[in-house]
């Protein structure tokens, strides 16, 4: 984990990935001191509410969005993704691996033959056995 003011890249080296750019942006502003897991989780929630605000009292199809509406929605989605990237980085969460495990769990919880075309929660699907826990791979010794 980086110190509060430490940049993830060398001073003269541009960040190589979007994640590195996000970390570099934060480091150059010394904002990590404010980015506790609680504050990042709150920020994700607040940005999700701002995203939802774009749909208050409307239910447009994607093709019905004006360019301005689409831009506002993209900005809020980006804010959520940036905060989630920081949250996962700071807690050592491999988001892609976590999503893979969750998708495997959901494949068990929501078998296509029982859940196709329905929004029923897995606990209420007919003849659905309790979900198996997806095992996390052992942590590598780094």
């Amino acid at each position: 984990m980086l110190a509060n003011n430490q940049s993830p890249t060398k001073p003269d080296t541009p960040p190589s990935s979007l994640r590195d750019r996000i970390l570099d942006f934060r480091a150059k502003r010394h904002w990590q001191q404010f980015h506790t897991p609680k504050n990042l989780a709150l920020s994700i929630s607040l940005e999700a509410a701002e995203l939802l605000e774009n749909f208050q009292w409307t239910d447009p199809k994607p093709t019905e969005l004006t360019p301005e509406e689409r831009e506002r929605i993209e900005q809020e989605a980006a804010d959520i993704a940036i905060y989630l990237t920081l949250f996962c980085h700071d807690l050592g969460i491999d988001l892609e691996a976590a999503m893979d495990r969750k998708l495997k769990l959901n494949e068990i919880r929501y078998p296509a033959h029982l859940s196709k075309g329905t929004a029923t929660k897995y606990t209420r699907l007919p003849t659905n056995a309790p979900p198996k826990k997806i095992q996390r791979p052992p942590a590598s010794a780094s």
Side-chain angles (χ1 to χ4, degrees), residues 57-140:
W57 313 121
T58 66
D59 195 9
K61 294 180 174 71
T63 56
E64 297 172 343
L65 294 171
T66 67
E68 295 80 18
E69 290 168 328
R70 182 172 294 282
E71 175 66 22
R72 284 194 307 270
I73 290 165
E74 286 179 7
Q75 293 288 321
E76 300 307 337
D79 286 340
I80 294 164
I82 289 168
Y83 282 128
L84 183 59
T85 298
L86 292 167
F87 180 84
C88 290
H89 171 269
D90 292 357
L91 291 178
I93 295 170
D94 179 337
L95 183 56
E96 190 171 327
M99 289 172 26
D100 181 61
R101 285 190 303 275
K102 183 64 175 188
L103 186 55
K104 287 176 182 172
L105 179 60
N106 284 343
E107 287 169 344
I108 294 167
R109 288 179 169 174
Y110 296 95
H113 71 282
L114 295 176
S115 58
K116 188 173 186 176
T118 181
T120 304
K121 185 172 170 100
Y122 72 92
T123 56
R124 299 182 62 112
L125 288 172
T127 66
N128 194 31
K132 297 177 186 172
K133 208 167 183 167
I134 301 298
Q135 293 300 314
R136 181 182 294 261
S140 61

XYZ file of all heavy atoms in Angstrom, residues 57-140:
674
model
N -38.305 9.729 -11.887
C -39.554 10.080 -12.565
C -39.549 9.750 -14.051
O -40.459 10.137 -14.774
C -39.922 11.553 -12.361
C -39.820 11.987 -10.947
C -39.040 12.985 -10.466
C -40.506 11.437 -9.819
N -39.185 13.095 -9.111
C -40.088 12.150 -8.679
C -41.427 10.403 -9.644
C -40.561 11.874 -7.416
C -41.890 10.139 -8.370
C -41.458 10.871 -7.279
N -38.522 9.066 -14.534
C -38.474 8.661 -15.942
C -37.984 7.231 -16.025
O -37.408 6.700 -15.077
C -37.520 9.547 -16.772
O -36.174 9.337 -16.316
C -37.855 11.018 -16.656
N -38.200 6.620 -17.146
C -37.682 5.277 -17.391
C -37.316 5.176 -18.875
O -37.905 4.390 -19.619
C -38.717 4.219 -17.009
C -38.117 2.832 -16.905
O -36.870 2.706 -16.955
O -38.885 1.867 -16.786
N -36.337 5.985 -19.297
C -36.030 6.020 -20.729
C -35.300 4.770 -21.199
O -34.555 4.144 -20.451
C -35.118 7.242 -20.852
C -34.421 7.307 -19.526
C -35.453 6.840 -18.522
N -35.536 4.428 -22.446
C -34.743 3.384 -23.099
C -33.399 4.018 -23.453
O -33.315 5.239 -23.648
C -35.454 2.901 -24.352
C -36.767 2.187 -24.074
C -37.398 1.737 -25.390
C -38.623 0.896 -25.159
N -39.775 1.626 -24.649
N -32.333 3.225 -23.542
C -31.025 3.807 -23.881
C -31.054 4.670 -25.146
O -30.375 5.690 -25.221
C -30.124 2.588 -24.050
C -30.741 1.561 -23.158
C -32.231 1.810 -23.248
N -31.865 4.298 -26.118
C -31.932 5.070 -27.362
C -32.678 6.383 -27.198
O -32.616 7.241 -28.073
C -32.618 4.235 -28.472
O -33.911 3.832 -27.997
C -31.791 3.016 -28.836
N -33.380 6.552 -26.080
C -34.143 7.781 -25.841
C -33.359 8.836 -25.060
O -33.846 9.946 -24.864
C -35.438 7.460 -25.075
C -36.394 6.571 -25.825
C -37.568 6.107 -24.973
O -37.507 6.186 -23.727
O -38.542 5.643 -25.579
N -32.157 8.512 -24.619
C -31.358 9.460 -23.852
C -30.788 10.524 -24.780
O -30.286 10.216 -25.864
C -30.210 8.753 -23.138
C -30.590 7.764 -22.045
C -29.370 6.989 -21.590
C -31.230 8.490 -20.872
N -30.840 11.770 -24.323
C -30.205 12.840 -25.091
C -28.696 12.749 -24.868
O -28.235 12.139 -23.891
C -30.699 14.226 -24.621
O -30.226 14.447 -23.285
C -32.217 14.335 -24.695
N -27.904 13.373 -25.731
C -26.452 13.373 -25.501
C -26.074 13.953 -24.129
O -25.161 13.456 -23.482
C -25.908 14.237 -26.638
C -26.924 14.085 -27.733
C -28.249 13.984 -27.015
N -26.791 14.958 -23.676
C -26.512 15.556 -22.366
C -26.828 14.580 -21.239
O -26.079 14.476 -20.266
C -27.314 16.857 -22.184
C -26.939 17.965 -23.135
C -27.558 17.820 -24.535
O -28.551 17.066 -24.703
O -27.030 18.452 -25.467
N -27.947 13.870 -21.346
C -28.306 12.880 -20.327
C -27.279 11.750 -20.300
O -26.847 11.325 -19.224
C -29.701 12.306 -20.609
C -30.821 13.291 -20.375
C -32.159 12.826 -20.916
O -32.203 12.103 -21.939
O -33.180 13.189 -20.308
N -26.895 11.280 -21.472
C -25.898 10.215 -21.548
C -24.586 10.665 -20.923
O -23.940 9.910 -20.183
C -25.682 9.783 -23.007
C -24.685 8.633 -23.140
C -24.633 8.101 -24.550
N -25.875 7.478 -24.935
C -26.257 6.256 -24.567
N -25.492 5.536 -23.791
N -27.402 5.760 -24.970
N -24.174 11.893 -21.170
C -22.933 12.423 -20.597
C -23.009 12.458 -19.074
O -22.061 12.055 -18.389
C -22.651 13.822 -21.154
C -21.445 14.509 -20.534
C -20.112 13.835 -20.829
O -20.017 13.093 -21.827
O -19.170 14.034 -20.042
N -24.130 12.931 -18.513
C -24.283 12.964 -17.048
C -24.226 11.550 -16.467
O -23.586 11.312 -15.436
C -25.597 13.639 -16.654
C -25.580 15.149 -16.774
C -26.758 15.805 -16.063
N -28.042 15.279 -16.455
C -28.797 15.746 -17.453
N -28.372 16.762 -18.168
N -29.976 15.204 -17.727
N -24.866 10.617 -17.138
C -24.879 9.225 -16.677
C -23.468 8.631 -16.751
O -23.019 7.956 -15.815
C -25.898 8.406 -17.496
C -27.319 8.857 -17.115
C -25.708 6.917 -17.297
C -28.399 8.407 -18.076
N -22.758 8.897 -17.830
C -21.372 8.417 -17.951
C -20.493 8.982 -16.846
O -19.655 8.269 -16.283
C -20.789 8.807 -19.314
C -21.313 7.996 -20.469
C -20.730 8.428 -21.807
O -19.798 9.283 -21.822
O -21.199 7.922 -22.833
N -20.671 10.263 -16.533
C -19.871 10.892 -15.472
C -20.122 10.212 -14.127
O -19.165 9.938 -13.391
C -20.218 12.389 -15.370
C -19.805 13.211 -16.568
C -18.311 13.408 -16.640
O -17.649 13.600 -15.628
N -17.767 13.346 -17.840
N -21.369 9.941 -13.807
C -21.685 9.290 -12.529
C -21.172 7.850 -12.516
O -20.641 7.392 -11.498
C -23.180 9.338 -12.232
C -23.760 10.745 -12.132
C -23.047 11.669 -11.165
O -22.377 11.184 -10.225
O -23.170 12.891 -11.329
N -21.315 7.135 -13.627
C -20.795 5.763 -13.696
C -19.275 5.768 -13.515
O -18.718 4.906 -12.820
C -21.182 5.116 -15.027
N -18.602 6.744 -14.102
C -17.145 6.852 -13.951
C -16.768 7.148 -12.499
O -15.795 6.574 -11.978
C -16.596 7.929 -14.882
N -17.519 8.029 -11.847
C -17.244 8.321 -10.435
C -17.336 7.053 -9.593
O -16.477 6.795 -8.743
C -18.233 9.360 -9.891
C -17.957 10.771 -10.381
O -16.823 11.049 -10.821
O -18.888 11.603 -10.302
N -18.376 6.258 -9.834
C -18.549 5.003 -9.098
C -17.353 4.079 -9.351
O -16.788 3.506 -8.419
C -19.867 4.308 -9.501
C -21.063 5.152 -9.068
C -19.945 2.897 -8.916
C -22.373 4.763 -9.737
N -16.969 3.945 -10.609
C -15.862 3.048 -10.968
C -14.542 3.518 -10.350
O -13.735 2.700 -9.894
C -15.744 2.941 -12.487
N -14.310 4.816 -10.325
C -13.069 5.351 -9.744
C -13.029 5.067 -8.244
O -12.022 4.568 -7.723
C -12.929 6.857 -10.052
C -12.627 7.057 -11.545
C -11.858 7.500 -9.175
C -12.757 8.492 -12.026
N -14.115 5.362 -7.543
C -14.136 5.086 -6.107
C -14.030 3.592 -5.828
O -13.352 3.170 -4.882
C -15.398 5.647 -5.447
C -15.331 7.143 -5.200
C -16.346 7.979 -5.644
C -14.273 7.722 -4.504
C -16.299 9.350 -5.405
C -14.218 9.077 -4.268
C -15.231 9.896 -4.717
O -15.183 11.239 -4.479
N -14.672 2.759 -6.636
C -14.584 1.314 -6.437
C -13.156 0.821 -6.691
O -12.652 -0.044 -5.967
C -15.573 0.582 -7.356
C -15.632 -0.927 -7.187
C -16.010 -1.328 -5.753
C -16.621 -1.525 -8.187
N -12.495 1.391 -7.683
C -11.091 1.036 -7.953
C -10.217 1.365 -6.749
O -9.380 0.550 -6.323
C -10.594 1.774 -9.205
O -11.378 1.364 -10.324
C -9.125 1.488 -9.472
N -10.400 2.536 -6.180
C -9.625 2.928 -4.995
C -9.946 2.037 -3.799
O -9.045 1.594 -3.077
C -9.902 4.401 -4.654
C -9.383 5.418 -5.665
C -9.974 6.796 -5.387
C -7.860 5.459 -5.661
N -11.230 1.772 -3.593
C -11.677 0.917 -2.489
C -11.024 -0.459 -2.587
O -10.453 -0.964 -1.612
C -13.211 0.820 -2.546
C -13.818 -0.021 -1.462
C -14.085 0.520 -0.216
C -14.172 -1.335 -1.702
C -14.670 -0.246 0.784
C -14.753 -2.109 -0.717
C -15.001 -1.566 0.536
N -11.109 -1.067 -3.748
C -10.537 -2.411 -3.932
C -9.022 -2.385 -3.791
O -8.443 -3.278 -3.160
C -10.950 -2.972 -5.291
S -12.704 -3.394 -5.372
N -8.381 -1.387 -4.345
C -6.927 -1.276 -4.222
C -6.518 -1.199 -2.755
O -5.643 -1.922 -2.296
C -6.412 -0.047 -4.976
C -4.969 0.233 -4.702
N -4.568 1.073 -3.678
C -3.843 -0.223 -5.281
C -3.251 1.121 -3.654
N -2.780 0.336 -4.608
N -7.174 -0.308 -2.011
C -6.785 -0.074 -0.625
C -7.042 -1.284 0.265
O -6.332 -1.489 1.245
C -7.510 1.149 -0.067
C -7.055 2.445 -0.724
O -6.139 2.419 -1.576
O -7.634 3.500 -0.392
N -8.055 -2.081 -0.049
C -8.356 -3.269 0.753
C -7.715 -4.537 0.190
O -7.926 -5.623 0.729
C -9.877 -3.455 0.862
C -10.590 -2.395 1.700
C -12.089 -2.643 1.704
C -10.056 -2.374 3.118
N -6.952 -4.407 -0.892
C -6.286 -5.567 -1.469
C -7.251 -6.533 -2.127
O -6.994 -7.734 -2.169
N -8.355 -6.019 -2.635
C -9.351 -6.859 -3.305
C -9.028 -6.926 -4.791
O -8.889 -5.891 -5.449
C -10.778 -6.282 -3.108
C -11.161 -6.332 -1.630
C -11.795 -7.016 -3.978
C -12.440 -5.565 -1.306
N -8.901 -8.134 -5.291
C -8.762 -8.344 -6.735
C -10.186 -8.367 -7.283
O -10.886 -9.373 -7.171
C -8.036 -9.664 -7.003
C -7.877 -9.979 -8.482
O -8.665 -9.463 -9.320
O -6.976 -10.765 -8.814
N -10.615 -7.245 -7.831
C -12.005 -7.099 -8.241
C -12.402 -8.116 -9.303
O -13.485 -8.701 -9.230
C -12.278 -5.677 -8.742
C -13.716 -5.361 -9.131
C -14.676 -5.629 -7.976
C -13.826 -3.920 -9.613
N -11.538 -8.366 -10.255
C -11.871 -9.338 -11.297
C -12.056 -10.735 -10.706
O -13.007 -11.438 -11.045
C -10.791 -9.355 -12.384
C -11.190 -10.155 -13.589
C -10.228 -9.996 -14.753
O -9.658 -8.911 -14.930
O -10.065 -10.983 -15.496
N -11.182 -11.122 -9.781
C -11.307 -12.433 -9.140
C -12.564 -12.489 -8.269
O -13.270 -13.501 -8.253
C -10.065 -12.741 -8.301
N -12.866 -11.396 -7.562
C -14.062 -11.358 -6.719
C -15.322 -11.451 -7.580
O -16.276 -12.157 -7.221
C -14.083 -10.075 -5.885
N -15.322 -10.773 -8.714
C -16.468 -10.834 -9.621
C -16.623 -12.233 -10.202
O -17.749 -12.730 -10.337
C -16.321 -9.790 -10.736
C -16.502 -8.380 -10.224
S -16.132 -7.014 -11.384
C -16.372 -7.672 -12.973
N -15.513 -12.874 -10.506
C -15.562 -14.234 -11.026
C -16.167 -15.183 -10.002
O -17.044 -15.992 -10.322
C -14.154 -14.700 -11.420
C -14.150 -16.102 -11.991
O -14.808 -16.337 -13.035
O -13.497 -16.980 -11.386
N -15.728 -15.073 -8.737
C -16.288 -15.912 -7.673
C -17.779 -15.646 -7.491
O -18.577 -16.566 -7.333
C -15.551 -15.687 -6.352
C -14.178 -16.323 -6.291
C -13.580 -16.289 -4.896
N -13.481 -14.954 -4.336
C -12.464 -14.110 -4.548
N -11.462 -14.475 -5.331
N -12.455 -12.919 -3.983
N -18.178 -14.365 -7.525
C -19.580 -14.020 -7.335
C -20.430 -14.538 -8.496
O -21.542 -15.028 -8.288
C -19.729 -12.497 -7.201
C -21.141 -12.042 -6.939
C -21.668 -12.548 -5.604
C -23.040 -11.972 -5.342
N -23.528 -12.248 -4.007
N -19.910 -14.448 -9.701
C -20.637 -14.963 -10.855
C -20.821 -16.473 -10.748
O -21.912 -17.002 -11.026
C -19.927 -14.594 -12.159
C -20.655 -14.936 -13.451
C -22.047 -14.340 -13.490
C -19.841 -14.466 -14.643
N -19.794 -17.182 -10.294
C -19.911 -18.630 -10.100
C -20.973 -18.949 -9.038
O -21.755 -19.880 -9.202
C -18.562 -19.230 -9.703
C -17.586 -19.286 -10.854
C -16.226 -19.791 -10.407
C -15.266 -19.794 -11.581
N -13.894 -20.097 -11.166
N -20.986 -18.163 -7.967
C -21.996 -18.358 -6.930
C -23.396 -18.098 -7.482
O -24.326 -18.861 -7.235
C -21.706 -17.441 -5.738
C -22.685 -17.502 -4.575
C -22.744 -18.912 -3.979
C -22.295 -16.486 -3.519
N -23.543 -17.027 -8.251
C -24.846 -16.711 -8.836
C -25.293 -17.758 -9.851
O -26.494 -18.005 -9.999
C -24.844 -15.327 -9.462
C -24.925 -14.238 -8.415
O -25.280 -14.489 -7.269
N -24.588 -13.026 -8.806
N -24.356 -18.397 -10.537
C -24.717 -19.478 -11.461
C -25.321 -20.657 -10.689
O -26.210 -21.333 -11.182
C -23.490 -19.924 -12.260
C -23.087 -18.897 -13.308
C -21.720 -19.169 -13.933
O -20.925 -19.971 -13.374
O -21.436 -18.552 -14.970
N -24.841 -20.860 -9.457
C -25.402 -21.913 -8.604
C -26.751 -21.457 -8.044
O -27.724 -22.215 -8.046
C -24.423 -22.256 -7.453
C -23.153 -22.889 -8.014
C -25.086 -23.166 -6.423
C -22.004 -22.969 -7.006
N -26.813 -20.237 -7.567
C -28.037 -19.720 -6.952
C -29.187 -19.560 -7.953
O -30.341 -19.709 -7.592
C -27.774 -18.355 -6.308
C -26.960 -18.422 -5.053
C -26.727 -17.030 -4.516
N -26.175 -17.078 -3.171
C -25.764 -16.032 -2.503
N -25.838 -14.832 -3.048
N -25.286 -16.164 -1.293
N -28.837 -19.206 -9.162
C -29.855 -18.915 -10.176
C -29.674 -19.811 -11.394
O -29.279 -19.343 -12.459
C -29.778 -17.445 -10.609
C -30.098 -16.471 -9.511
C -29.089 -15.885 -8.747
C -31.418 -16.131 -9.234
C -29.392 -14.983 -7.742
C -31.729 -15.232 -8.226
C -30.709 -14.665 -7.482
O -31.016 -13.779 -6.480
N -29.967 -21.104 -11.272
C -29.853 -21.972 -12.449
C -30.780 -21.446 -13.543
O -31.918 -21.029 -13.268
C -30.318 -23.331 -11.951
C -30.513 -23.220 -10.489
C -30.496 -21.792 -10.109
N -30.301 -21.437 -14.773
C -31.072 -20.869 -15.885
C -32.448 -21.515 -15.996
O -33.444 -20.826 -16.233
C -30.295 -21.013 -17.181
N -32.527 -22.823 -15.783
C -33.824 -23.496 -15.948
C -34.840 -23.090 -14.884
O -36.040 -23.259 -15.075
C -33.638 -25.019 -15.983
C -33.258 -25.627 -14.668
N -31.975 -25.563 -14.157
C -34.007 -26.293 -13.764
C -31.952 -26.167 -12.992
N -33.165 -26.625 -12.721
N -34.376 -22.526 -13.751
C -35.297 -22.089 -12.696
C -35.519 -20.574 -12.687
O -36.535 -20.102 -12.197
C -34.775 -22.511 -11.316
C -34.705 -24.009 -11.033
C -34.071 -24.252 -9.674
C -36.096 -24.630 -11.115
N -34.574 -19.828 -13.220
C -34.648 -18.380 -13.075
C -34.871 -17.625 -14.381
O -35.006 -16.400 -14.357
C -33.381 -17.868 -12.382
O -32.240 -18.234 -13.123
N -34.921 -18.326 -15.471
C -35.084 -17.667 -16.769
C -36.402 -16.888 -16.816
O -37.474 -17.431 -16.571
C -35.051 -18.698 -17.896
C -35.026 -18.086 -19.270
C -34.827 -19.156 -20.322
C -34.663 -18.549 -21.686
N -34.385 -19.573 -22.689
N -36.306 -15.597 -17.110
C -37.484 -14.759 -17.277
C -38.181 -14.348 -15.999
O -39.279 -13.799 -16.050
N -37.563 -14.586 -14.839
C -38.187 -14.206 -13.570
C -37.195 -13.423 -12.716
O -35.986 -13.651 -12.792
C -38.690 -15.444 -12.785
O -39.310 -14.993 -11.577
C -37.587 -16.419 -12.457
N -37.709 -12.509 -11.912
C -36.872 -11.714 -11.016
C -36.924 -12.258 -9.593
O -36.549 -11.580 -8.647
C -37.327 -10.260 -11.044
N -37.358 -13.485 -9.429
C -37.491 -14.101 -8.113
C -36.120 -14.307 -7.479
O -35.205 -14.808 -8.124
C -38.216 -15.462 -8.245
O -39.470 -15.238 -8.883
C -38.421 -16.113 -6.903
N -36.004 -13.934 -6.202
C -34.753 -14.140 -5.472
C -34.474 -15.638 -5.356
O -35.387 -16.455 -5.243
C -34.844 -13.501 -4.085
C -33.534 -13.578 -3.317
C -33.613 -12.772 -2.036
C -32.416 -13.046 -1.166
N -31.397 -12.081 -1.212
N -33.203 -16.003 -5.357
C -32.804 -17.411 -5.362
C -33.393 -18.202 -4.197
O -33.668 -19.387 -4.330
C -31.277 -17.559 -5.394
C -30.582 -17.196 -4.102
C -30.313 -18.154 -3.127
C -30.154 -15.888 -3.863
C -29.670 -17.826 -1.959
C -29.515 -15.551 -2.695
C -29.274 -16.520 -1.745
O -28.629 -16.191 -0.582
N -33.591 -17.549 -3.060
C -34.135 -18.252 -1.894
C -35.595 -18.648 -2.089
O -36.115 -19.463 -1.328
C -34.018 -17.387 -0.629
O -34.675 -16.138 -0.862
C -32.567 -17.165 -0.249
N -36.248 -18.084 -3.089
C -37.655 -18.375 -3.335
C -37.879 -19.178 -4.613
O -39.018 -19.436 -4.993
C -38.440 -17.077 -3.381
C -38.356 -16.320 -2.048
C -39.168 -15.067 -2.088
N -40.577 -15.409 -2.307
C -41.522 -15.255 -1.410
N -41.220 -14.778 -0.226
N -42.772 -15.558 -1.685
N -36.807 -19.556 -5.281
C -36.952 -20.373 -6.488
C -37.368 -21.792 -6.091
O -36.944 -22.298 -5.050
C -35.636 -20.427 -7.275
C -35.239 -19.145 -7.992
C -33.832 -19.281 -8.566
C -36.226 -18.777 -9.078
N -38.164 -22.450 -6.912
C -38.599 -23.813 -6.574
C -37.431 -24.799 -6.599
O -36.513 -24.663 -7.400
C -39.621 -24.144 -7.660
C -39.282 -23.244 -8.792
C -38.690 -22.001 -8.191
N -37.487 -25.775 -5.719
C -36.515 -26.871 -5.625
C -35.065 -26.406 -5.681
O -34.213 -27.063 -6.247
C -36.749 -27.921 -6.738
O -36.487 -27.332 -8.007
C -38.144 -28.478 -6.697
N -34.805 -25.264 -5.079
C -33.445 -24.744 -5.092
C -32.748 -25.124 -3.795
O -33.183 -24.746 -2.717
C -33.455 -23.225 -5.266
C -32.093 -22.679 -5.626
O -31.319 -23.365 -6.266
N -31.814 -21.476 -5.216
N -31.684 -25.910 -3.906
C -30.906 -26.290 -2.733
C -30.123 -25.071 -2.242
O -29.858 -24.157 -3.015
C -29.948 -27.418 -3.110
N -29.735 -25.051 -0.972
C -28.934 -23.934 -0.471
C -27.661 -23.790 -1.304
O -27.085 -24.787 -1.748
C -28.595 -24.338 0.966
C -29.558 -25.410 1.319
C -29.994 -26.057 0.042
N -27.241 -22.559 -1.542
C -26.053 -22.356 -2.374
C -24.797 -22.877 -1.704
O -24.665 -22.824 -0.486
C -25.992 -20.840 -2.540
C -26.724 -20.303 -1.378
C -27.777 -21.321 -1.028
N -23.923 -23.412 -2.528
C -22.611 -23.821 -2.031
C -21.745 -22.576 -1.963
O -21.880 -21.665 -2.762
C -21.976 -24.820 -3.000
C -22.752 -26.093 -3.143
C -22.092 -26.972 -4.178
C -22.935 -28.201 -4.456
N -22.432 -28.972 -5.572
N -20.836 -22.591 -1.019
C -19.921 -21.478 -0.902
C -18.786 -21.680 -1.909
O -18.228 -22.766 -2.008
C -19.368 -21.405 0.513
C -18.993 -20.035 0.906
C -18.743 -19.943 2.390
C -18.442 -18.490 2.635
N -18.445 -18.094 3.966
N -18.480 -20.643 -2.668
C -17.375 -20.704 -3.616
C -16.083 -20.478 -2.831
O -15.943 -19.484 -2.128
C -17.532 -19.645 -4.727
C -18.837 -19.856 -5.486
C -16.337 -19.647 -5.660
C -18.937 -21.165 -6.206
N -15.175 -21.418 -2.945
C -13.927 -21.326 -2.202
C -13.003 -20.293 -2.818
O -12.802 -20.264 -4.023
C -13.225 -22.688 -2.168
C -13.968 -23.735 -1.358
C -14.134 -23.328 0.087
O -13.187 -22.875 0.718
N -15.333 -23.472 0.613
N -12.457 -19.465 -1.966
C -11.470 -18.476 -2.377
C -10.138 -19.200 -2.556
O -9.765 -20.032 -1.735
C -11.355 -17.423 -1.289
C -10.388 -16.316 -1.557
C -10.347 -15.385 -0.380
N -11.596 -14.686 -0.202
C -11.825 -13.456 -0.618
N -10.882 -12.786 -1.206
N -12.989 -12.895 -0.414
N -9.408 -18.894 -3.640
C -8.109 -19.544 -3.795
C -7.170 -19.128 -2.662
O -7.319 -18.017 -2.130
C -7.595 -19.040 -5.152
C -8.462 -17.889 -5.512
C -9.703 -17.967 -4.702
N -6.240 -19.995 -2.281
C -5.327 -19.646 -1.182
C -4.517 -18.403 -1.550
O -4.163 -18.203 -2.696
C -4.433 -20.861 -1.034
C -4.707 -21.741 -2.189
C -5.956 -21.281 -2.857
N -4.272 -17.554 -0.561
C -3.496 -16.330 -0.791
C -2.068 -16.721 -1.108
O -1.490 -17.613 -0.492
C -3.554 -15.444 0.443
N -1.513 -16.039 -2.093
C -0.120 -16.304 -2.446
C 0.778 -15.585 -1.467
O 0.461 -14.505 -0.970
C 0.166 -15.846 -3.884
O -0.059 -14.466 -3.999
